[in-house]
Amino acid sequence: MDYVELGRTGIRVSRCCLGTMTWGSQNSEAQAHEQMDYALGRGVTFWDTAEMYASPPSPETQGSTERHIGSWLTKTGKRQEIVLASKVAGRGDAFGGLPWMRPGGQSTRQTRAQIDHAVEGSLKRLNTDYLDLYQLHWPDRPVRVFGGQTFQDYAQDFESFGDILEALDAHVKKGTIRAIGVSNEYPWGVMRFLAEAEAKGLPRIASIQNAYHLANRVFEYGLAEIAMREQVGLLAYSPLAQGALTGKYLDGKLPEGSRKALYNRMARYEGPGAEAAIRGYVDLAAHFGLDPAHLALKFCDTRPFVTATIIGATTLDQLKTDIDAFDLTWTEEMEKAVNALHALQPNPCP
């Protein structure tokens, strides 16, 4: 396993990051513990969660993922061996407000009071007194998130970048947060956070966690240059397009126990041209004698603007397959082949 610096923080993270959002919905506490044991044994020391998880969001499962991690930390005493990241929910308007996450049924926002509430809740559930990385799960601005290829303007009603950074800075000074990041963010937002941090001496964002995979390379249009020049590296989530890039849903297949079978929330990966593009990458993996998951994950791992690729698995076999991908060698022939397919059908799954 390779390790790199998280932004300019001095924190070293594994290039493979353990995603956890199925723990508490598709995975039991025992299965979550088994995954954590195995991942750490393979050198995966960077783990990502969120106050909202398990996914999909619901009042019944909210916080269960952090509780499963917390019980593992209590059992093993291995907090110092991992770099632990969590997230505070963004503006909840588009998701019915997510009222079960805040006192009094408020819609989630990134106000100082709500950030304080979220940090304290995560620390308690995780049974830890600090978070290595704390991320804004999506913006407080009512901007389109989680997919879409067109811009829609929005009301200029949002917490200011400076106010959000000041709220997070209070926790940095307390020692409950070591570094901060953003997620599902756009170039303007990243640059505004950086500008506010520099102007006011506030914490500098260290990372951006956005969707990125073979069928969604929109990060490269504006954010990749920022990631490299400003050392705000990408934490690539959904590198397998929620499993679609393994080919398991091609030709109408619906594997029992899969996320599509359970929740039918795959619209982001089923737009025009998606199946043809996915089939192309699955066939390309076969051409190179690779598991499709290996091709997709190693593609992300070899991008110069990526700090870490976030994997997620519901079975131990899937987890082993995912981690094995990071030991592969990426060739110039593979690079040319995936770029040729991308040119034919760019970004059908943004």
Side-chain angles (χ1 to χ4, degrees), residues 21 29 85 103 121 184 252 285 295 344:
M21 73 177 191
E29 183 178 33
N184 297 292
L295 179 76
L344 288 174

Side-chain angles (χ1 to χ4, degrees), residues 254-276:
L254 190 61
E256 185 178 353
S258 65
R259 291 191 70 77
K260 180 174 173 61
L262 290 172
Y263 308 119
N264 195 26
R265 289 165 53 92
M266 296 289 292
R268 190 171 183 177
Y269 311 101
E270 297 175 336
E275 177 141 348

